[in-house]
């Protein structure tokens, strides 16, 4: 379908005034042309005019798509429309995918356990529509984040029977074993994991089957395998690791004092240089903005010094939490890219 503007969309809607499929396709065409506002307007006007003529399934479809067109704005309408579709007992898996991801995102942003529980309930409802990998994996992820490790592991193990040697599942099971205290099992599974894209389960719709190196070596840190953690960090050559408290701690506890001092000195030098550059920078929009940046760099230097003192003098062990994420993907019902 060619891209259309709002006026053309309204003309076509007049030709098919009460067709849910047609209006959703028109809204999708506007979205493809980066005119989400038009998509919202088209569907909301359609509901205003024809709501009394639509059955619950048709309304659920429009509500779900409307929610999708609001999901980049942090708009409460995304939640309202998805909730409305759920109340109508939507037969579309996209409805439950959208609601589950909405709550999980809110959990990550706010740290709210209540949002996490709502995400779990949405995934559970989703399994009644489609008892597939995505819904069950999301359900297990929520249980893991709720620290229900045995329950999460049970689901991951069930999934791996249908998807043998799927790297994402191996990692997830290993994470459960880490927190359940099954160190040998966790180590065994971690060493089986191949980094990068999982060729056996390559999926063009999302990159959840890509395993990053830090997802493995962070687990070694949590297990207390600091030597192995440092070895993997060195292999990875990830620039950001030198600014992580876990990295400095592992160097110190492994008696790599000279390297510890070198890394700290380099980081401190980097922070001081950034501070001095900020002080002479004239590109800030206001003096207040500049002073805020200066204060931020000063606080970073102070935090680094505090961290060093605590590691050296207070037996401080930085906490590193292993995290899992559900499958993130489009939940637009007409999304051909995702649904084929």
């Amino acid at each position: 379908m060619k891209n259309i503007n709002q006026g053309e969309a309204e003309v076509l809607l007049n030709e098919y005034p009460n067709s849910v499929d047609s209006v959703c396709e028109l809204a999708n065409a506007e979205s493809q042309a980066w005119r989400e506002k038009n998509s919202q307007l088209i569907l909301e006007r359609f509901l205003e005019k024809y709501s009394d003529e639509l059955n619950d399934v048709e309304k659920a479809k429009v509500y779900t798509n409307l929610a999708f067109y609001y999901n980049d704005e942090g708009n409460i309408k995304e939640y309202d429309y998805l909730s409305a579709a759920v109340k109508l007992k939507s037969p579309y898996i996209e409805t439950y995918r959208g609601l589950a991801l909405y709550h999980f995102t809110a959990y990550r942003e706010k740290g709210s356990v209540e949002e996490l529980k709502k995400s779990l309930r949405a995934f559970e409802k989703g399994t009644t529509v489609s008892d597939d990998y995505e819904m069950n994996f999301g359900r297990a992820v929520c249980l893991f984040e709720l620290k229900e490790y045995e329950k999460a592991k049970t689901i991951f193990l069930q999934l791996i029977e249908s998807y043998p040697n799927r790297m994402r599942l191996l990692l997830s099971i290993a994470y459960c074993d880490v927190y359940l205290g099954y160190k040998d099992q966790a180590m065994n599974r971690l060493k089986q994991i191949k980094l990068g894209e999982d060729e056996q389960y390559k999926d063009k719709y999302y990159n959840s089957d890509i395993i990053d190196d830090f997802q493995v070596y962070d687990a070694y840190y949590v297990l207390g395998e600091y030597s192995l953690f440092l070895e993997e960090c060195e292999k990875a050559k990830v620039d950001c690791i030198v600014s992580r408290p876990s990295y400095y701690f592992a160097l110190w506890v492994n008696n790599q004092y000279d390297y510890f001092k070198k890394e700290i000195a380099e980081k401190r030098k980097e922070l001081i240089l950034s501070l001095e550059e900020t002080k002479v920078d004239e590109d800030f929009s206001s003096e207040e903005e500049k002073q805020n940046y200066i204060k931020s760099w000063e606080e970073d230097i102070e935090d680094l010094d505090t961290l060093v003192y605590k590691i050296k003098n207070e037996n401080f062990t930085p906490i590193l939490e292993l995290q899992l994420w559900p499958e993130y993907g489009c939940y637009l019902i007409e999304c051909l890219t995702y649904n084929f």
Side-chain angles (χ1 to χ4, degrees), residues 262-285:
K262 174 179 173 293
E263 292 291 296
I264 292 295
E266 288 184 359
K267 185 60 181 179
R268 200 170 195 283
K269 181 179 178 180
E270 175 189 321
L271 293 173
I272 291 174
L273 178 61
S274 297
L275 173 61
E276 295 306 317
E277 288 177 347
T278 301
K279 288 180 178 179
V280 299
D281 192 341
E282 300 297 332
D283 291 333
F284 291 100
S285 60

Side-chain angles (χ1 to χ4, degrees), residues 55-96:
N55 61 39
D56 287 353
V57 172
E58 291 172 324
K59 288 180 183 178
K61 181 174 183 178
V62 177
Y63 285 145
T64 300
N65 285 356
L66 260 171
F68 175 79
Y69 295 129
Y70 277 104
N71 76 344
D72 289 333
E73 303 177 9
N75 199 309
I76 189 63
K77 285 190 175 182
E78 179 187 9
Y79 170 75
D80 289 341
Y81 284 129
L82 287 170
S83 296
V86 170
K87 288 178 181 178
L88 294 173
K89 299 182 179 179
S90 171
Y92 301 105
I93 192 62
E94 291 85 356
T95 304
Y96 306 96

